[in-house]
Amino acid sequence: MATLQDIGVSALINILGAFAFLLAFAFLRIQPINDRVYFPKLYISGGRSSPRRAGNFVGKFVNLNVKTYFTFLNWMPQALKMTEAEIINHAGLDSAVFLRIYTLGLKIFGPITILALLILIPVNVSSGTLFFLRKELVMSDIDKLSISNVRPQSIRFFIHIALEYAFTIWICFMLYKEYDHVALMRLRFLASKRRHAEQFTVVVRNVPHVSGRSVLDTVEQFFQTNHPNTYLCQQAVYNANKFAKLVRKRDRLRNWLDYNQLKFERHPDKRPTRKKGFLGLWGERVDSIEHYKQQMKHLEKNMALERQTILKDSKSILPVSFVSFNSRWGAAVCAQTQQSKNPTLWLTNWAPEPRDIYWRNLAIPFMSLTVRKLIISVSVFALVFFYMIPIAFVQSLANLEGLEKVAPFLRPVIELKFIKSFLQGFLPGLALKIFLYILPTVLLIMSKIEGYIAHSTLERRAAAKYYYFMLVNVFLGSIIAGTAFEQLDAFLHQSPTQIPRTIGVSIPMKATFFITYIMVDGWAGIAGEILRLKPLIIFHLKNMFLVKTERDIERAMDPGSVDFPETLPSLQLYFLLGIVYAVVTPILLPFILVFFAFAYLVYRHQIVNVYNQQYESAAAFWPHVHSRIIASLLISQLLLLGLLSTKEAANSTPLLVILPVLTLSFHKYCKIRFEPAFRKYPLEEAMAKDITDRTAESDVNLKAYLADAYLHPIFRSFEEEQPVEVKVKVEKNKPQTASDRISELSSPSPPHQVNQPSSPPHQVNHPSSPPHYVYHPSSPPQHVYDPSSPSHYAYHYENDIFHAPTPPHYAYHYENEP
């Protein structure tokens, strides 16, 4: 069992490690050569175009201003300067609410820590019951500060119960205030947003097959019939997964071509070569530049053929559609109501914003989603069970004395003082962190298999799986496995009636392990987050081998975003540990407070200077955060109830029975009161926003505005392609169906130069058919997100995500054929 000395060794190692990371960060961040790694948000927002540096050659790489080296902690006050409103404008509501989770932790645990240390520590220490059990149980000095040290049937348990009530009331009060504030922030954020495509668009899934009609015609007729006053237009969805694979392959070939061209420019006397076989290991040796040019030319031909195949094949149109309306009110009515008497058909929901869509999953048949979710649920259960084995072994390291009683042959090695302190104070937390490193990626892949169509939803589902894993394996698994190992000797040499008492006393003893885990993950781990060592290395490798132009530098500069699938469950684990051990072992609370304060500073700096969020969900994750803090409250109450039952506290234990009931009632009230703001959009708010927009901008052509917002990637040309005109012609006196328009889209047209890409759409009024668009994309036709203008997103296609820094040039023409 780890002693205070072992905890001290662990604290020293982690504090020194964190300080070393901070020193390295302070040194690296002020070097001009690293400017794009530590301040990429400034380049993305236009606040900086080149690193600040001295005029000479050395100054391009190294900061020669000596004074800046003595202000290595100035990043902390700089991170705190920006107000919450400025953070919302700068990084979005998701980032601002994410930071509020850390401040909520400080607000909750600050008063609880002071109260617990001043009251519970003296109560626990003065009891001294573990002194009489020291021969039966493995214990440490920290255990004497816990509830385990209170004698059975002691009247002191009334103090623990009273504080459990006080802590619960305080936590519920803070949760209520925070839920109310975040819900209000969300509604204000949605009301203040400029016009965006997702505000007018719903995604329709499981469109029924109608004999003799295409999916497009079926959708158009259904919505013209059932939403005649608000339906505006639709965007078909194509199964372009094969085409997307070709795009990713082309991007890889382009990277290799760029690398070899740069290599040749640096050494023009020798052209690079490679072997044609697998991975360049065997085969005929050829010129690398010509080899990759030929491969790209061949691949571009395949891409063109694949695009035409998709356009011509009606089977490639999926029973999914993005349907847009002429008002937010109309979209809200459609998204939040049942469309058909058969509840499994015409399923509507709010469309994700275009940059949030995970296009690959739109091709998954809707009826297979239930089976997929069932299979993944079974797989997650198996994964949790499999991980119990290494977790149990890790917990055995936290108590080597307990393992010595079972395996005495390890004693000579274990008894070495430094090794013993290192193993018990540092290694268990580090080993657990390594085990958990790859898990979020695995769980995100599982969520993708389940079939969710938005990146934000995928990340929330992966976060939920990771939370359940942390709850079962890291928390419950650590307690159960640890108790079984360290009390194995006692279990084998005592009567069965004494085992429940032994378990009740031993559960608080795992606080020593969790203290070491908090220091490894929450102190040194957070310091490693700000250092950004992995992005730093990758950036300089790309800069060395791939970068030729300023555009290449921008691509190499990958700021990333807040890793919600990993950070949110980890945060919820810290809430769980703090709430559970607040009454059981309050000495853990100061370590939790240090984590929340330090992590708040680090993530505030990262959000202001580094991270560029991939999407904006308007804090849709908050109900999950609230629910899991409530779950932590329930676990702490049930755990305390079990502990007191083993302490023969028959008089005081019944007082706790009512507390879980009150907590669940509070949760139900919050769910009814606040959660609809995160699940639905009030019609009142939608109508008010529509009226405001019509008053301010009465002449907006909304149909043209929404025409290509959800345009599928196959309609977007890429950098190497020439401008192509795709015409849609409308015959006089003949209505044109949606399927007719798509068949015409698949017909090749001669190149056409758009002289005025910014010219507005021109409409031809035709009494028998709706307006039809003609797209003239010039190079590159990438729809660009401009926060100051409505519904424009930055795209290039990569890994089913759109990104792009260059503005689009779409011209829309309406034409009649005489």
Side-chain angles (χ1 to χ4, degrees), residues 52-64:
R52 295 172 294 182
R53 59 199 182 195
N56 56 33
F57 177 78
V58 178
K60 295 180 180 180
F61 304 97
V62 180
N63 186 354
L64 301 179

Side-chain angles (χ1 to χ4, degrees), residues 21 98 122 155 173 180 184 213 230 234 267 310 316 341 480 495 505 519 532 574 599 647 692 715:
F21 285 150
F98 173 72
I155 197 173
F173 173 71
D180 186 30
L184 186 60
R213 287 185 182 173
T230 56
Q234 64 163 310
H267 305 283
I310 292 172
S316 65
K341 61 184 178 182
I480 296 170
S495 63
V505 172
M519 288 188 291
R532 286 177 56 80
Y574 287 112
K647 290 285 192 174
T692 302
F715 288 122

Side-chain angles (χ1 to χ4, degrees), residues 494-789:
Q494 64 181 227
S495 63
T497 58
Q498 293 297 314
I499 291 179
R501 180 187 172 211
T502 304
I503 294 176
V505 172
S506 301
I507 287 176
M509 295 181 184
K510 292 314 299 178
T512 54
F513 166 76
F514 288 122
I515 288 174
T516 62
Y517 178 76
I518 291 168
M519 288 188 291
V520 171
D521 181 71
W523 295 8
I526 292 298
E529 158 69 27
I530 200 171
L531 182 58
R532 286 177 56 80
L533 188 59
K534 180 180 176 182
L536 178 69
I537 294 173
I538 292 175
F539 172 78
H540 286 300
L541 287 176
K542 288 182 177 180
N543 200 27
M544 184 181 301
F545 296 109
L546 297 177
V547 169
K548 292 194 303 181
T549 65
E550 285 296 321
R551 186 177 183 183
D552 295 332
I553 294 178
E554 291 178 1
R555 288 185 175 182
M557 179 184 64
D558 181 18
S561 58
V562 178
D563 190 7
F564 288 126
E566 183 174 2
T567 53
L568 286 180
S570 298
L571 262 174
Q572 290 149 8
L573 175 65
Y574 287 112
F575 274 102
L576 175 64
L577 293 177
I579 293 172
V580 166
Y581 282 97
V583 173
V584 175
T585 310
I587 194 63
L588 179 139
L589 292 175
F591 297 90
I592 293 282
L593 272 181
V594 171
F595 160 75
F596 277 112
F598 186 39
Y600 174 72
L601 280 173
V602 168
Y603 278 106
R604 212 175 200 276
H605 173 274
Q606 301 295 80
I607 285 171
V608 171
N609 296 307
V610 179
Y611 291 143
N612 185 39
Q613 284 305 111
Q614 175 184 324
Y615 58 82
E616 176 59 60
S617 70
F621 56 81
W622 183 260
H624 303 283
V625 174
H626 174 89
S627 299
R628 285 159 198 163
I629 296 177
I630 291 292
S632 301
L633 267 177
L634 293 171
I635 292 171
S636 71
Q637 294 158 4
L638 296 176
L639 177 59
L640 184 60
L641 191 65
L643 279 171
L644 294 182
S645 67
T646 65
K647 290 285 192 174
E648 303 174 13
N651 294 329
S652 55
T653 302
L655 297 176
L656 276 176
V657 175
I658 192 64
L659 198 53
V661 178
L662 296 176
T663 304
L664 285 173
S665 300
F666 168 77
H667 176 57
K668 184 177 181 180
Y669 172 77
C670 288
K671 194 177 182 69
I672 295 172
R673 171 66 179 82
F674 300 117
E675 191 168 320
F678 295 84
R679 300 287 179 258
K680 300 176 181 179
Y681 189 41
L683 295 180
E684 178 185 20
E685 294 285 328
M687 181 62 74
K689 185 65 174 173
D690 287 334
I691 293 173
T692 302
D693 276 6
R694 283 196 292 268
T695 303
E697 302 173 287
S698 58
D699 58 343
V700 173
N701 188 339
L702 194 60
K703 194 165 190 176
Y705 173 81
L706 296 172
D708 68 334
Y710 288 91
L711 190 65
H712 198 279
I714 63 170
F715 288 122
R716 302 181 185 275
S717 64
F718 298 86
E719 295 168 358
E720 291 81 8
E721 295 180 308
Q722 297 297 323
V724 175
E725 176 186 26
V726 185
K727 292 186 177 181
V728 180
K729 299 181 180 179
V730 181
E731 296 183 10
K732 281 187 175 180
N733 304 321
K734 179 182 178 182
Q736 190 184 46
T737 64
S739 56
D740 293 334
R741 295 195 293 274
I742 290 302
S743 65
E744 289 175 357
L745 278 173
S746 63
S747 302
S749 302
H752 177 76
Q753 180 66 38
V754 181
N755 296 323
Q756 295 179 337
S758 59
S759 60
H762 306 286
Q763 184 170 350
V764 175
N765 297 320
H766 196 284
S768 60
S769 64
H772 307 292
Y773 300 116
V774 181
Y775 301 85
H776 297 276
S778 64
S779 179
Q782 298 161 332
H783 200 176
V784 173
Y785 174 70
D786 179 3
S788 63
S789 65

